[in-house]
């Protein structure tokens, strides 16, 4: 191949690449606008987002060299650190494109919340849209939970509850998160908890209390009613939040099967409520349901926190509280106002 032929081939590939970027931009941009219109007035975002070029993203991340989490890469743009989330192309995930677009829209609508990772832009030129966030040194909650005090754990519960509650009540149509797990929760360098990954979110139809959709979320945190019926509700988030509270309390993940039943070596398959009662009866709360690091804290507060977690994780949705009552109960626990339960709560466990 001579020099001229090489230049022509290089030019051909460059034109092809530019065309692909342009087509991706048009297709992804159209999907993004459509999604924006369905969630916000006149398609206007509460936080203006920058549209990055593929070249800017690739250069800022040095070709996606520094991976700091699942699909997350550290970069530097205009002398400011950024965090880029870019999915790999997976043929089997036909709906992945829709999830990423929804993640952008929901994130932009809620990003000013202090407990949400702030999105600053996106790139539409990749086949799978990339998201760009503000960067702050961070660690995943599950990596540092064992080192946190009781006060910090309670604060995290209150803060994450406020994000879920915002999704439930502050949008024209209530938004169900569907994937609340410790994998989507980080702590920044200042110890502030941040929720991210809103790709599984789904809005309730106007005037409806449930919506039917394919099963989405993380195994072990899934609402058993959603698993059985494919109907997801606001109470599905409450169920996941109950398991999240248990994780904060015991310092490890408590996962259940598709029927909402827990398995442990001592008792086999058992409901979470009965598991708690057996742990109390046999004096085995330590490190099974309550981290030994915090076991000596205010017993009334620990008991109320465990009770709340178990109520949230009830198998039947109508027996779970609404998220607003969960948030209120957490505030009561923080203040030590435990003389009586909220009318929407019940006492499931007791120990002296």
């Amino acid at each position: 191949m001579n020099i001229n032929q090489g230049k022509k081939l290089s030019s051909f590939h460059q034109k092809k690449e530019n065309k692909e970027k342009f087509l991706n931009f048009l297709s992804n941009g159209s999907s993004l606008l459509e999604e924006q219109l369905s969630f916000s007035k006149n398609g206007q975002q509460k936080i203006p987002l920058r549209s990055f070029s593929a070249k800017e993203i690739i250069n800022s991340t040095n070709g996606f060299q520094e991976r700091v989490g699942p699909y997350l890469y550290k970069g530097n743009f205009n002398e400011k650190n950024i965090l880029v989330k870019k999915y790999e192309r997976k043929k089997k995930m036909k709906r992945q494109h829709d999830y990423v677009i929804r993640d952008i829209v929901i994130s932009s609508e809620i990003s000013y919340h202090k407990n949400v990772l702030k999105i600053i832009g996106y790139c539409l030129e990749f086949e799978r849209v990339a998201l760009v966030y503000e960067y702050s040194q961070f660690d995943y909650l599950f990596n540092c939970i064992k080192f946190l005090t009781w006060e910090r754990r309670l604060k995290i519960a209150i803060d994450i509850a406020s994000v879920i509650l915002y999704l439930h009540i502050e949008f024209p149509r209530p938004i169900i998160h569907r994937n609340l797990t410790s994998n989507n929760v980080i702590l920044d360098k200042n110890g502030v908890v941040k929720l991210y990954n809103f790709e599984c979110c789904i809005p309730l139809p106007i005037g409806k209390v449930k919506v039917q959709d394919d099963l989405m979320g993380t195994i072990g945190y899934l609402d058993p009613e959603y698993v059985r019926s494919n109907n997801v509700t606001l109470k599905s988030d409450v169920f996941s939040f109950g398991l999240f509270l248990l994780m904060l309390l015991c310092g490890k993940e408590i996962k259940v099967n598709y029927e909402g039943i827990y398995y442990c070596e001592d008792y086999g398959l058992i409901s979470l409520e009965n598991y708690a009662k057996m742990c109390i009866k046999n004096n085995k709360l330590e490190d099974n349901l309550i981290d030994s690091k915090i076991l000596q804290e205010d017993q009334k507060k620990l008991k109320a926190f465990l009770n709340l977690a178990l109520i949230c994780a009830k198998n039947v949705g109508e027996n779970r509280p609404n998220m607003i009552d969960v948030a209120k109960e957490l505030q009561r626990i923080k203040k030590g106002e435990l003389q009586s339960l909220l009318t929407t709560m019940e006492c499931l466990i007791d120990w002296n």
Side-chain angles (χ1 to χ4, degrees):
M1 182 185 297
N2 59 38
I3 295 177
N4 288 333
Q5 288 176 321
K7 287 182 178 179
K8 288 181 180 179
L9 184 60
S10 177
S11 177
F12 172 77
H13 285 307
Q14 186 63 52
K15 288 180 179 178
K16 182 180 179 182
E17 183 179 329
N18 289 338
K19 182 178 180 181
E20 288 177 353
K21 289 179 181 178
F22 179 69
L23 292 176
N24 287 335
F25 184 89
L26 290 180
S27 175
N28 292 331
S30 174
S31 299
L32 180 58
L33 179 59
E34 183 178 352
E35 192 76 359
Q36 287 171 343
L37 288 169
S38 71
F39 277 93
S40 55
K41 294 180 180 180
N42 303 318
Q44 296 296 313
Q45 300 157 327
K46 289 188 177 180
I47 292 183
L49 301 182
R50 176 190 173 113
S51 179
F52 290 82
S53 69
K55 183 178 180 180
E56 287 173 330
I57 295 295
I58 292 170
N59 288 342
S60 66
T61 60
N62 194 22
F64 302 102
Q65 286 294 310
E66 188 174 354
R67 186 167 179 169
V68 294
Y71 308 110
L72 291 176
Y73 303 88
K74 184 179 179 181
N76 188 284
F77 183 77
N78 287 345
E79 300 183 353
K80 289 186 178 180
N81 288 331
I82 59 173
L83 193 62
V84 177
K85 181 165 74 170
K86 183 179 181 298
Y87 291 97
E88 299 167 2
R89 185 174 182 271
K90 293 183 178 181
K91 293 182 179 179
K92 292 183 179 180
M93 294 193 68
K94 295 179 181 179
R95 294 179 63 185
Q96 188 186 69
H97 170 267
D98 297 333
Y99 300 145
V100 176
I101 294 296
R102 180 154 297 177
D103 196 359
I104 294 173
V105 173
I106 299 295
S107 294
S108 68
E109 288 290 307
I110 198 174
S111 233
Y112 58 86
H113 193 295
K114 66 181 179 66
N115 299 116
V116 171
L117 187 62
K118 186 176 181 180
I119 188 172
I120 59 174
Y122 49 77
C123 177
L124 302 174
E125 292 183 353
F126 297 112
E127 185 173 6
R128 292 288 182 264
V129 181
L131 286 73
V132 184
Y133 302 94
E134 279 188 350
Y135 179 84
S136 176
Q137 186 176 350
F138 72 90
D139 201 353
Y140 284 94
L141 177 59
F142 58 76
N143 286 335
C144 46
I145 181 65
K146 278 289 187 179
F147 306 103
L148 299 178
T149 63
W150 159 244
E151 288 76 15
R152 287 291 300 120
R153 298 182 199 207
L154 179 56
K155 179 70 164 57
I156 288 170
I158 290 170
D159 287 344
I160 294 300
S162 74
V163 180
I164 301 302
L165 180 59
Y166 189 97
L167 290 171
H168 286 191
I169 68 174
E170 293 296 337
F171 283 80
R173 292 185 293 164
I175 306 294
I176 306 167
H177 187 278
R178 276 203 297 184
N179 195 26
L180 176 59
T181 76
S182 60
N183 295 319
N184 294 326
V185 179
I186 62 175
L187 292 175
D188 71 12
K189 64 180 180 181
N190 298 314
V192 178
V193 67
K194 306 277 187 181
L195 182 65
Y196 80 107
N197 272 356
F198 296 94
E199 61 215 33
C200 292
C201 286
I202 188 169
L204 281 175
I206 296 175
K208 302 294 183 181
V209 296
K210 62 184 178 182
V211 57
Q212 192 167 68
D213 195 49
D214 294 339
L215 207 58
M216 286 292 299
T218 300
I219 294 173
Y221 282 81
L222 291 170
D223 174 8
E225 288 192 331
Y226 178 29
V227 174
R228 287 195 299 269
S229 66
N230 282 99
N231 288 317
V232 62
T233 71
L234 297 177
K235 296 293 186 73
S236 299
D237 279 348
V238 176
F239 180 86
S240 299
F241 189 72
L243 296 179
F244 181 75
L245 292 180
L246 287 175
M247 184 275 299
L248 288 172
L249 193 62
C250 67
K252 61 183 179 181
E253 289 194 300
I254 298 289
K255 294 185 177 182
V256 296
N257 65 15
Y258 284 135
E259 296 178 345
I261 304 299
Y262 180 61
Y263 174 81
C264 68
E265 292 184 1
D266 289 340
Y267 311 116
L269 289 171
I270 186 171
S271 72
L272 287 171
E273 182 180 338
N274 286 334
Y275 177 60
K277 290 177 178 178
M278 292 300 293
C279 286
I280 293 169
K281 178 181 178 181
N282 297 317
N283 198 27
K284 289 187 174 182
L285 278 173
E286 183 174 350
D287 289 332
N288 285 316
L289 276 176
I290 300 182
D291 190 346
S292 58
K293 180 180 176 66
I294 64 171
L295 189 57
Q296 301 308 314
E297 298 290 340
D298 188 320
Q299 296 289 290
K300 289 183 178 180
K301 290 185 177 182
L302 293 177
K303 171 187 171 182
F305 195 91
L306 174 56
N307 192 69
L308 176 60
L310 295 173
I311 294 173
C312 289
K314 276 180 165 289
N315 278 3
V316 179
E318 64 181 19
N319 293 335
R320 303 171 202 148
N322 293 317
M323 205 64 212
I324 191 167
D325 287 328
V326 174
K328 288 179 181 177
E329 186 68 9
L330 286 170
Q331 289 292 346
R332 280 161 45 91
I333 293 172
K334 178 183 176 181
K335 296 174 183 176
E337 298 173 352
L338 305 172
Q339 294 82 3
S340 61
L341 292 168
L342 290 174
T343 55
T344 54
M345 303 290 175
E346 61 180 307
C347 183
L348 298 181
I349 48 100
D350 192 18
W351 84 76
N352 297 318

